[in-house]
Amino acid sequence: MKKIVTWKKIARVLMITLGGVIGGAGLSVFLEPHNLAPGGVSGIAIILGNFIPVPTGTLVFCLNIPLLALGLWKFGREFLFSTVYATIVFSASIDGAAWLFGPLISVTDDLLLSALFGGAVSALGLGIVFRMGCTTGGTDIIVKILRSRYRHIKTGALFLIVDLTIAIISGIVFCDIELAMYAAVAILVNGVVMDFVIYGGNEAKLVYIVSEHFEEIAARALQTLDIGATYLHGTGVYTNAEKKIVMIAIKKHLYPKLKDIVREADPRAFMIVSGAKEIYGEGFQDHLKEDV
């Protein structure tokens, strides 16, 4: 048991490190060279960097200090340790990428491409960190606090609200409305990718199957796909006949195989398919896992 726990902790640290590096490099390579403020503390640091001769990553870390204190008070020591580590990795990656590549840091001069790729790459990194149960500091902490209070609002949507405010401020400071608009594009992409990284793996399909061959369909789903099924009892309104309805929750990548099973067993089966954003239980999400 101790070995398993140890390896889990090592894997978590490695994933936090990977996420922090990707997020920091994405900001440094695509957004910072064009003064695209992607919201959050990073956006504030990019704005301040034009007036204070301090590297952006260093500014990010300094601005995070009061927010880390807030995180310690709200979430405790375990959250603080992992978040401080993620913040250090993220901040160091911003300055590290700038130091490694120097004047060649900007991959493209196209502001739209920079906004699109910068928003996507940064969100990929931050999403990985969030999935590990911590943040890279900054407004991530504020968002995590808001998420614990307003659990019906997704993380990406909360980031969007906070970050768009900072993008508007950047437009005012730089006296360039187009720059703020490109920053808003980066933020919008960031929100979409963030939600995909955090929640995409949890999405599934909920399938209801009405068929005379319900036993065969359920048995083949269990044997072939290793998934369970539930029988629901129904009554046909026209025939007044009792029916058994097969209900199956299935991950998206397995759904085409289930569809083949139903088609082969009963081409006339009545099948209703809907999306399931979150499913908890065996084979899906753990009830005890912390919300992100």
Side-chain angles (χ1 to χ4, degrees):
M1 177 63 74
K2 289 184 178 179
K3 288 184 178 180
I4 293 175
V5 172
T6 301
W7 279 112
K8 282 186 176 179
K9 287 183 177 180
I10 292 173
R12 182 170 181 265
V13 170
L14 290 175
M15 290 302 292
I16 291 172
T17 304
L18 176 65
V21 170
I22 292 174
L27 185 141
S28 184
V29 171
F30 294 102
L31 301 176
E32 183 186 0
H34 302 293
N35 285 329
L36 293 173
V41 166
S42 303
I44 295 173
I46 288 175
I47 295 171
L48 292 177
N50 284 267
F51 307 100
I52 303 174
V54 176
T56 301
T58 304
L59 280 174
V60 168
F61 185 78
C62 291
L63 291 170
N64 268 313
I65 292 175
L67 292 169
L68 289 171
L70 176 62
L72 172 63
W73 169 72
K74 189 68 178 177
F75 301 111
R77 292 184 179 180
E78 184 176 350
F79 170 84
L80 179 68
F81 292 149
S82 56
T83 295
V84 167
Y85 176 71
T87 303
I88 291 173
V89 172
F90 178 67
S91 303
S93 296
I94 296 172
D95 289 346
W99 177 76
L100 281 173
F101 299 104
L104 301 176
I105 192 68
S106 178
V107 174
T108 176
D109 292 326
D110 190 305
L111 285 175
L112 181 59
L113 287 176
S114 296
L116 292 172
F117 279 89
V121 174
S122 297
L124 173 62
L126 296 179
I128 292 172
V129 172
F130 258 77
R131 288 203 68 149
M132 294 300 104
C134 64
T135 78
T136 55
T139 53
D140 299 8
I141 294 175
I142 296 174
V143 167
K144 191 171 179 68
I145 292 173
L146 290 173
R147 177 81 169 100
S148 65
R149 176 67 178 83
Y150 303 102
R151 296 175 64 187
H152 61 286
I153 305 177
K154 285 191 173 183
T155 300
L158 289 171
F159 269 113
L160 185 63
I161 295 169
V162 174
D163 294 345
L164 284 177
T165 302
I166 295 172
I168 293 170
I169 293 173
S170 74
I172 296 172
V173 171
F174 293 124
C175 298
D176 190 338
I177 188 63
E178 284 193 0
L179 204 62
M181 291 170 70
Y182 281 117
V185 170
I187 291 167
L188 291 170
V189 172
N190 188 289
V192 172
V193 175
M194 177 85 69
D195 278 345
F196 178 79
V197 173
I198 295 176
Y199 305 109
N202 299 330
E203 291 189 11
K205 289 185 179 293
L206 185 61
V207 184
Y208 296 92
I209 305 163
V210 182
S211 169
E212 297 295 330
H213 304 275
F214 60 89
E215 290 182 331
E216 179 185 350
I217 292 170
R220 288 184 61 185
L222 177 62
Q223 295 168 4
T224 307
L225 305 179
D226 193 27
I227 58 174
T230 301
Y231 288 142
L232 304 178
H233 295 279
T235 304
V237 174
Y238 181 74
T239 62
N240 203 37
E242 295 292 323
K243 294 179 179 291
K244 281 191 177 180
I245 302 166
V246 182
M247 183 185 75
I248 297 177
I250 186 169
K251 293 183 177 179
K252 292 175 73 174
H253 70 279
L254 292 176
Y255 169 69
K257 294 181 180 179
L258 175 63
K259 190 175 179 182
D260 290 340
I261 289 173
V262 174
R263 184 171 58 242
E264 291 169 6
D266 183 3
R268 300 185 65 184
F270 188 77
M271 188 165 66
I272 302 171
V273 183
S274 63
K277 289 288 185 182
E278 297 181 37
I279 298 179
Y280 292 86
E282 187 177 351
F284 294 92
Q285 295 187 79
D286 188 344
H287 287 279
L288 301 177
K289 186 178 179 180
E290 181 183 7
D291 288 337
V292 293

